Amino acid sequence: MRKEIEQLNKIFDSRIRIGIMSALMVNESMNFNELKALVDATDGNLATHLKTLEDNTFIKVEKGFIGRKTNTTYAITKAGEKAFRSHLDALEKIIKNLG
Amino acid sequence: MRKEIEQLNKIFDSRIRIGIMSALMVNESMNFNELKALVDATDGNLATHLKTLEDNTFIKVEKGFIGRKTNTTYAITKAGEKAFRSHLDALEKIIKNLG
DNA sequence: TAAAAGCACTTTGAGATACAAAGTAAATAA
DNA sequence: TTATTTACTTTGTATCTCAAAGTGCTTTTA
């Protein structure tokens, strides 16, 4: 397999996950509804994608409270940042090669 | 949904399909084995991806002969070129936005 | 020239994944 | 106190991915 293609990460073969990751690259943290509005997924669908990213340690989930209300936030991890950048680098190379 | 993410094409949410498309962007046409070597998929897997791309009119298949041997070639269509470029444009914007 | 092997895909079936609907538990409103 | 909303989670199905097995040639081998 050509090495740039090999370098693409299967986990990021998803529009929703790319949306989540690129949002978390530029935002310190986001909550469920912010992400939901951004990627336009249903609750169940978004939750599943977040779970996958969490299972791969690409994002971390923090469950806390604001007053008495639950407040869950999602943030990118170092590993996530690294993996996503490397995925984007591979894409960039593919794009460049096409001129 | 943010518009660059919306602009990403679900059909190209696949490393193998990105591999096929980017190869066909730079090669006039390729045959089954060339593509197979490039994307490193099994026969069945590659055939399925090619079928999906064909069903979406992103590639065209030409079945001919060289002497008495079958010769099937795959080439990108205008629609495929347009769709793939637009997908890459969206990715490029996402990459740029991250700096 | 008949049987075996190789080639270029295609078909099939199982496992994985994506997705929406329904469910749940806590908080707020009526 | 009961009803509604909020913020997810669970569940079941539909879709998709994939490798193994199959098909219909052609070519090689005996």
Side-chain angles (χ1 to χ4, degrees):
Chain A
M1 190 166 4
R2 256 178 50 207
K3 74 173 191 315
E4 307 93 55
I5 295 161
E6 208 168 320
Q7 209 189 326
L8 293 172
N9 193 325
K10 268 205 80 160
I11 298 294
F12 302 133
D13 272 6
S14 153
R15 282 146 65 255
I16 292 181
R17 301 215 272 255
I18 286 177
I20 294 168
M21 292 302 286
S22 61
L24 293 181
M25 287 286 276
V26 296
N27 294 104
E28 193 66 34
S29 79
M30 294 179 81
N31 66 33
F32 196 83
N33 282 337
E34 288 168 342
L35 288 169
K36 190 177 148 187
L38 182 84
V39 302
D40 194 32
T42 56
D43 289 9
N45 190 10
L46 176 59
T48 308
H49 286 299
L50 288 171
K51 184 91 187 11
T52 302
L53 291 172
E54 195 194 351
D55 288 349
N56 283 275
T57 70
F58 290 166
I59 64 171
K60 57 187 174 236
V61 181
E62 206 145 317
K63 280 168 189 287
F65 287 89
I66 291 188
R68 349 177 68 268
K69 282 191 74 174
T70 58
N71 179 253
T72 307
T73 58
Y74 303 88
I76 202 165
T77 61
K78 281 284 163 207
E81 211 168 306
K82 199 174 161 204
F84 192 58
R85 278 212 180 274
S86 147
H87 183 79
L88 295 180
D89 283 352
L91 286 170
E92 203 167 19
K93 273 177 210 150
I94 291 168
I95 293 170
K96 283 230 178 82
N97 286 345
L98 301 181
Chain B
M1 192 162 8
R2 257 179 49 207
K3 75 174 192 315
E4 306 93 54
I5 296 160
E6 207 168 319
Q7 210 190 325
L8 293 172
N9 194 325
K10 268 205 78 159
I11 299 295
F12 303 133
D13 272 5
S14 152
R15 282 147 64 255
I16 292 181
R17 300 216 274 254
I18 287 178
I20 295 168
M21 292 302 288
S22 61
L24 293 181
M25 287 286 277
V26 296
N27 294 105
E28 192 66 35
S29 79
M30 294 179 80
N31 66 32
F32 196 83
N33 282 337
E34 288 167 342
L35 288 170
K36 190 176 147 186
L38 182 83
V39 302
D40 194 32
T42 55
D43 289 9
N45 191 10
L46 176 59
T48 308
H49 285 299
L50 288 170
K51 184 92 190 4
T52 302
L53 291 172
E54 195 193 351
D55 288 349
N56 282 275
T57 70
F58 290 164
I59 65 172
K60 57 187 175 235
V61 181
E62 206 145 317
K63 281 171 188 287
F65 286 89
I66 292 187
R68 349 176 66 270
K69 281 191 74 175
T70 56
N71 179 253
T72 307
T73 58
Y74 302 88
I76 202 165
T77 62
K78 280 285 162 204
E81 211 167 306
K82 201 175 158 198
F84 192 58
R85 277 211 181 276
S86 147
H87 183 80
L88 295 181
D89 283 352
L91 285 170
E92 203 166 19
K93 274 178 207 149
I94 291 167
I95 292 169
K96 284 230 178 81
N97 287 344
L98 301 181

